[in-house]
Amino acid sequence: MMRGDRNKRTQPRYPGIHKAKNTAGKIVPGVYRIVFTDWQGKRRTQTHHGGEASAARVKRNILAAQDEIRAGLKASPRPKTKVTTLGQLWEAFKADRELSIREGSMTEGSLDRNWHTYRALLNYDPSLEHRRLDKITKEDIKKFKIHRLEEGFAPEGVNTNLRGLRTIFNFAVYEEFLKKSPMKKVEAVKVTQRDARLLNDAERLALRLAMESLDLTDTYQKDAHDLTLFYLHTGCRRADPLFPNFTWEDVGPEIISLRQVKTGKVLEKRKSETIRDILESRRGEPNGPFNLSGDEAYLRVKWLMDRAELDASPKDLRSTAGSRYYLATRDIFATSRFLGHSSVKVTERHYMGLIQSLELENHEKFENLMKSDLLFFCYSERNHAQSRATHLDTKNPSLTSEKGASRRAGPTRLELATSGLTGRRSNQLNYGP
């Protein structure tokens, strides 16, 4: 097969018709995405359940309808739902996102985060729910931001709220419920980058002693014990190993598949001896190894941390797992994949202090290696020169005579190189053959 034929196979059979994929990146059979440009010149997508050829026919009909609107032969579409208030906007946004969740292009966790953001805004000012969208201004959003900071919320959390509101109002603009988003001139809170919280040697020892003192016949204590070890050996987030995200179907003979609630991506991790023992001891659990809610998992781990007299959480266990993985591998790219970060830059930002603390150690290793290499070079050069001198003396004894000695007056290049001399003359030496 020619190279051009192979390239043609990767192109869609019909332009603008693509196979739909779920959040794990796998193709969904019988589902296609139709990509087209509407009468306003905006790029649109539509999901089609059926064959590829039928999706192409649907696209042709859509394009024909758009041409009629541009020519004035057909009225332009209007929003089917009458949205004038913030509360109505949320209902329309929720319905749209629930449809995306059912078709597999969005996770429930994303909608939950948007819901918490919306509730936080209404807790600040309940009257906003019934206010017209065009009456909500950037000043309202800025006051909400200030209120959250004054309430003691972390800047990172406030920025998460702002991103959620931006998503909701961008949806309003996209659906033409609103001409301009009030988030247009609202900037994020400046955040001072801090290293991830890591358990030090003393804290890890205290945690180990606390786990050794547990009564594993007690269900609550066993949950706390197993969850803590699972977080430390996989580096997963708090909700990742919990049902329904992690079931017995995700447990293979050698590999476990952990779906990240935050991103929807699936991370495959090889079973360590500790993970294997934990899973085998929990075989009697229904549905999955950890049939718990996020709050239940948090309370169990927090209880164990308090028992060890540590101020830590499941998030700190994940950070500690990442730091230990990096120390074991000294590979920032492998550590990024282990944690499931979107970019290695995220990993570098979290562990910058740890990376910098190892620079002195790395420099000393480099220095010792270079000294070893140069010492080997000097010894090799000396042995080569000595053997060459012996060979010349044997071949031409006159070199050792008085006349020969006068010809070789002064040190040789090798003698200067290995004598440790410094200065102008030694710096100008040529170490070539």
Side-chain angles (χ1 to χ4, degrees), residues 17-34 46-52 55 99-106 259:
I17 306 298
H18 305 277
K19 295 180 180 179
K21 296 182 180 180
N22 57 22
T23 54
K26 296 182 179 180
I27 295 176
V28 180
V31 182
Y32 291 87
R33 289 192 310 110
I34 301 174
Q46 182 172 316
T47 303
H48 175 76
H49 295 266
E52 187 176 12
L99 183 62
S100 299
I101 292 173
R102 288 200 298 271
E103 70 178 11
S105 60
M106 183 179 175
R259 181 180 297 278

Side-chain angles (χ1 to χ4, degrees), residues 24-74:
K26 296 182 179 180
I27 295 176
V28 180
V31 182
Y32 291 87
R33 289 192 310 110
I34 301 174
V35 182
F36 63 96
T37 302
D38 68 4
W39 60 281
Q40 293 179 309
K42 295 183 179 180
R43 185 176 183 272
R44 304 281 185 175
T45 60
Q46 182 172 316
T47 303
H48 175 76
H49 295 266
E52 187 176 12
S54 63
R57 288 195 296 270
V58 171
K59 181 179 180 180
R60 285 196 293 269
N61 294 334
I62 292 174
L63 294 179
Q66 302 304 313
D67 290 340
E68 290 179 357
I69 294 174
R70 293 190 189 96
L73 302 176
K74 186 177 180 180

Side-chain angles (χ1 to χ4, degrees), residues 184-195:
K184 196 72 173 179
K185 299 294 184 179
V186 179
E187 298 180 356
V189 182
K190 291 186 178 180
V191 178
T192 302
Q193 295 296 337
R194 297 188 298 268
D195 280 355

Side-chain angles (χ1 to χ4, degrees), residues 9-146:
R9 292 182 59 184
T10 62
Q11 299 297 324
R13 183 178 179 184
Y14 300 99
I17 306 298
H18 305 277
K19 295 180 180 179
K21 296 182 180 180
N22 57 22
T23 54
K26 296 182 179 180
I27 295 176
V28 180
V31 182
Y32 291 87
R33 289 192 310 110
I34 301 174
V35 182
F36 63 96
T37 302
D38 68 4
W39 60 281
Q40 293 179 309
K42 295 183 179 180
R43 185 176 183 272
R44 304 281 185 175
T45 60
Q46 182 172 316
T47 303
H48 175 76
H49 295 266
E52 187 176 12
S54 63
R57 288 195 296 270
V58 171
K59 181 179 180 180
R60 285 196 293 269
N61 294 334
I62 292 174
L63 294 179
Q66 302 304 313
D67 290 340
E68 290 179 357
I69 294 174
R70 293 190 189 96
L73 302 176
K74 186 177 180 180
S76 60
R78 299 297 179 187
K80 296 180 181 180
T81 305
K82 184 179 180 180
V83 174
T84 57
T85 67
L86 181 61
Q88 293 172 343
L89 171 61
W90 169 255
E91 292 300 325
F93 177 83
K94 179 182 177 183
D96 179 81
R97 291 309 190 257
E98 287 176 343
L99 183 62
S100 299
I101 292 173
R102 288 200 298 271
E103 70 178 11
S105 60
M106 183 179 175
T107 62
E108 293 184 5
S110 298
L111 181 58
D112 289 340
R113 287 190 291 272
N114 290 324
W115 163 249
H116 289 304
T117 293
Y118 175 68
R119 293 308 307 172
L121 181 62
L122 295 188
N123 289 337
Y124 156 68
D125 187 356
S127 66
L128 289 173
E129 181 177 8
H130 305 290
R131 187 180 299 183
R132 289 177 56 90
L133 291 177
D134 55 356
K135 299 299 181 181
I136 299 177
T137 64
K138 64 181 180 182
E139 284 74 19
D140 295 319
I141 307 301
K142 288 183 176 181
K143 290 178 181 178
F144 165 72
K145 180 174 69 172
I146 295 172

